[in-house]
């Protein structure tokens, strides 16, 4: 019966429920040349589903429940045009504080509490920005040339519920060139992580 109980505990979990509260706005400024979106939110989550590796049963992944957690933060984005709409740009920033209110686990027969720890895989700060300039061309075959750059950044990311392993903040830079031809044909060349930034994308023990 103890074996069946362990199996049932490994393959079953409770449904996740949440209460979500959000307040936001969308503004068109300067004759709609600039758009602003802003929002603040709070989420109360019960039985949050957390994916983890089943160390006692091999390397498979299993879902467990954190009894109670919450997430609060804000999002802000700007989009705009300038220079007769030839220059376009956007900036997006997000702040998230996701933590456990009550989450008890058992590791090697020892009870462990993750209360107050940050939820894994959730960066606290995210930032993305891009800018592009479109140059019209008075050519028969080619109508315009667009070139631009973009950047993404993330702050520290914890990989586990104990917050013992993490990925430090990092940023990557990209760029692109687009050629617009006649008859609605275009070709875009992209380059990503041009700074050759090294970072981890996943962790497991």
């Amino acid at each position: 019966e103890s074996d069946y109980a362990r199996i049932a505990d490994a393959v079953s979990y409770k449904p996740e429920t949440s209460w979500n509260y959000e307040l936001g706005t969308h503004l068109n400024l300067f004759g709609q040349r600039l758009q602003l979106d802003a929002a603040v939110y709070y989420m109360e989550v019960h039985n949050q589903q957390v994916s983890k590796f089943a160390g006692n049963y091999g390397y498979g992944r299993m879902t467990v429940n954190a009894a109670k957690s919450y997430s609060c933060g804000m999002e802000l984005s700007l989009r705009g045009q300038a220079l007769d709409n030839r220059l376009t740009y956007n900036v997006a920033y997000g702040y998230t504080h996701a933590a456990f209110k009550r989450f008890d686990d058992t590791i090697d027969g020892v009870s462990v509490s993750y209360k107050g720890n940050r939820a894994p895989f959730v960066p606290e700060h995210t930032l993305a920005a891009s800018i592009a300039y479109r140059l019209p061309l008075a050519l028969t075959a080619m109508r315009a040339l667009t070139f631009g750059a973009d950047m993404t950044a993330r702050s520290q990311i914890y990989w586990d519920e104990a917050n013992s392993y993490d990925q430090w903040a990092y940023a990557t830079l990209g760029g692109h060139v687009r050629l617009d031809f006649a008859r609605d044909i275009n070709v875009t060349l992209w380059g990503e992580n041009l700074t050759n930034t090294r970072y981890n994308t996943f962790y497991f023990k």
Side-chain angles (χ1 to χ4, degrees):
E1 290 188 4
S2 61
D3 291 336
Y4 282 114
R6 285 196 296 270
I7 293 173
D9 184 59
V11 301
S12 63
Y13 48 89
K14 299 177 182 178
E16 180 180 280
T17 59
S18 67
W19 286 95
N20 305 276
Y21 310 90
E22 182 173 348
L23 179 65
T25 184
H26 171 78
L27 301 174
N28 292 307
L29 307 172
F30 309 112
Q32 297 191 357
R33 291 194 303 271
L34 180 66
Q35 293 83 45
L36 169 66
D37 291 290
V40 293
Y41 63 90
Y42 178 82
M43 299 171 59
E44 181 92 12
V45 186
H46 296 263
N47 295 318
Q48 179 181 355
Q49 295 171 1
V50 180
S51 180
K52 63 181 297 184
F53 278 84
N56 294 331
Y57 307 100
Y59 294 102
R61 297 180 72 181
M62 59 184 288
T63 299
V64 298
N65 291 110
K68 199 172 184 180
S69 65
Y70 71 96
S71 178
C72 60
M74 58 88 66
E75 296 176 346
L76 179 67
S77 66
L78 290 169
R79 298 181 303 279
Q81 304 88 30
L83 304 178
D84 196 24
N85 293 333
R86 294 183 183 183
L87 181 70
T88 58
Y89 58 91
N90 67 75
V91 180
Y93 168 76
Y95 169 78
T96 303
H97 182 82
F100 299 116
K101 279 191 172 182
R102 189 169 71 251
F103 185 9
D104 299 319
D105 197 4
T106 301
I107 300 178
D108 297 330
V110 180
S111 297
V112 178
S113 174
Y114 298 128
K115 180 180 178 180
N117 286 12
R118 298 287 304 277
F121 306 109
V122 182
E124 187 172 16
H125 303 276
T126 57
L127 177 65
S130 67
I131 187 170
Y133 183 79
R134 185 176 186 271
L135 179 64
L137 299 175
L139 302 175
T140 302
M142 189 180 299
R143 295 182 174 179
L145 171 66
T146 302
F147 49 91
D150 59 86
M151 182 273 296
T152 59
R154 294 176 177 84
S155 68
Q156 184 182 29
I157 303 172
Y158 288 107
W159 295 126
D160 61 344
E161 299 84 4
N163 293 173
S164 54
Y165 299 96
D166 61 352
Q167 164 64 51
W168 289 104
Y170 66 93
T172 60
L173 177 67
H176 69 275
V177 176
R178 171 172 165 158
L179 307 175
D180 290 322
F181 297 94
R183 299 184 180 180
D184 297 326
I185 298 174
N186 64 76
V187 177
T188 305
L189 304 177
W190 288 90
E192 300 199 7
N193 195 12
L194 301 179
T195 52
N196 197 28
T197 301
R198 298 178 61 87
Y199 57 92
N200 296 314
T201 59
F202 193 67
Y203 160 89
F204 68 93
K205 182 178 180 181

